[in-house]
């Protein structure tokens, strides 16, 4: 997957744990962990919006495209 | 899920298991009948109690052919029941929307089509050996069932793909 999820960096910046974020955005830690480790196939706009509000950031701060990585079928 | 379909699912597993046994019994019995037809002198006239060898000379051959087709039909019904049981089991486990079930439904559709084909062949044989020119075995319902099964298989495959997409969605 050529899409990178920079959730870890943002959490570090905001001094927030994954568990705290999970409680704020009302998503399970397991699902956020899937997102953080780049194993998610898709993200809902509602999830993205909730994370952006919780971390006070833009979607572009969380997602990036790396053309050097292989694309997924 | 509606109440009727929930009730149908609840009774499906024992009913299908009973049907598997009934179908195997049927196959064994008509298989026995086929073997017996070769062993008994004057079959089928002696068993029937009257001789119509001149009126229907092809009757013994036709009856044996129909029994062989019956055995093929029983084998096809067996595969349908096994696949149906596998589908019902996936519902009980809680994960029915998988591509394997779509493939099973499509295979069942082909099997029902084959059964209907066999039924027409049996009717044709019966017409030839008993009453030439008379075939009244055609019925719309099985062909509609085949169409319905193919449509359902397609819907299932689409649903399984959609669910696979959703699985990785956060």
């Amino acid at each position: 997957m050529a899409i990178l999820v920079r959730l870890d960096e943002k959490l570090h910046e905001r001094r927030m744990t994954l568990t705290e974020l999970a409680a704020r955005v009302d998503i399970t830690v397991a699902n956020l962990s899937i997102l953080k480790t780049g194993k998610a196939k898709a993200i809902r706009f509602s999830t993205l919006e909730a994370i952006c509000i919780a971390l006070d950031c833009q979607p572009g701060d969380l997602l990036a495209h790396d053309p050097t990585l292989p694309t997924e079928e | 899920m509606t109440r009727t379909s929930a009730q149908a699912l609840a009774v499906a597993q024992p009913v299908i298991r009973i049907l598997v046994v009934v179908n195997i019994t049927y196959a064994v019995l008509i298989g026995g009948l086929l073997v017996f037809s070769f062993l008994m002198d004057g079959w089928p006239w002696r068993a029937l109690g009257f001789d119509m060898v001149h009126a229907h000379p092809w009757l013994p051959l036709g009856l044996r052919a129909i029994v062989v087709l019956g055995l093929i039909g029983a084998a096809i019904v067996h595969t349908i029941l096994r696949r149906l049981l596998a589908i019902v089991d996936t519902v009980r486990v809680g994960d029915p929307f998988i591509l394997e079930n779509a493939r099973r439904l499509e295979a069942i559709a082909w099997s029902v089509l084959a059964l209907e084909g066999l039924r027409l062949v049996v009717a044709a044989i019966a017409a030839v050996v008993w009453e030439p020119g008379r075939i009244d075995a055609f019925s719309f319902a099985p062909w509609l069932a085949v169409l319905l099964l193919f449509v359902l298989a397609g819907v299932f495959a689409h649903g399984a793909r959609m669910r696979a997409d959703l699985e990785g969605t956060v």
Side-chain angles (χ1 to χ4, degrees):
Chain A
M1 179 73 83
I3 297 294
L4 298 174
V5 180
R6 290 175 170 155
L7 189 59
D8 220 11
E9 295 161 35
K10 267 295 161 209
L11 281 171
H12 190 69
E13 250 176 51
R14 300 283 189 263
R15 301 277 181 270
M16 198 186 288
T17 65
L18 202 64
T19 315
E20 283 171 337
L21 180 65
R24 286 195 190 191
V25 299
D26 200 23
I27 293 168
T28 62
V29 177
N31 269 347
L32 273 185
S33 186
I34 288 170
L35 184 64
K36 195 185 82 168
T37 52
K39 287 174 187 160
K41 282 186 188 168
I43 180 167
R44 290 188 183 89
F45 278 155
S46 57
T47 306
L48 195 56
E49 185 186 20
I51 295 173
C52 284
I53 291 169
L55 296 177
D56 187 25
C57 64
Q58 292 296 314
D61 298 331
L62 294 169
L63 303 171
H65 178 242
D66 184 350
T68 61
L69 290 173
T71 54
E72 191 168 286
E73 284 294 304
Chain B
M1 194 185 294
T2 65
R3 210 175 137 202
T4 313
S5 58
Q7 283 168 341
L9 268 175
V11 297
Q13 202 190 35
V15 167
I16 294 168
R17 285 188 193 284
I18 291 167
L19 287 176
V20 168
V21 175
V22 169
N23 186 54
I24 290 172
T25 311
Y26 159 77
V28 169
L29 287 176
I30 62 168
L33 182 72
L34 183 66
V35 173
F36 184 71
S37 77
F38 287 103
L39 300 177
M40 185 185 182
D41 283 337
W43 182 89
W45 317 117
R46 229 178 89 194
L48 290 170
F50 53 85
D51 191 342
M52 293 199 294
V53 70
H54 300 297
H56 306 288
W58 292 99
L59 188 63
L61 188 65
L63 282 176
R64 284 188 186 117
I66 287 171
V67 171
V68 170
L69 290 176
L71 284 171
I72 295 169
I76 293 172
V77 168
H78 187 76
T79 65
I80 291 176
L81 291 172
R82 300 305 302 184
R83 287 191 173 109
L84 200 55
L85 196 60
I87 291 174
V88 171
D89 282 345
T90 61
V91 179
R92 289 162 71 93
V93 170
D95 192 17
F97 294 107
I98 49 173
L99 280 174
E100 187 57 33
N101 273 353
R103 279 192 281 271
R104 283 178 183 135
L105 266 178
E106 197 183 320
I108 289 174
W110 282 112
S111 301
V112 175
L113 188 67
L115 278 180
E116 194 51 22
L118 277 183
R119 207 168 70 88
L120 290 180
V121 174
V122 166
I125 292 172
V128 168
V129 301
W130 189 254
E131 202 171 338
R134 190 186 158 198
I135 302 178
D136 52 4
F138 187 80
S139 165
F140 258 120
W143 298 100
L144 276 177
V146 169
L147 184 66
L148 182 71
L149 281 165
F150 274 120
V151 169
L152 272 179
V155 170
F156 235 82
H158 194 66
R161 275 193 292 273
M162 281 172 74
R163 207 210 57 164
D165 268 353
L166 269 180
E167 252 186 356
T169 301
V170 177

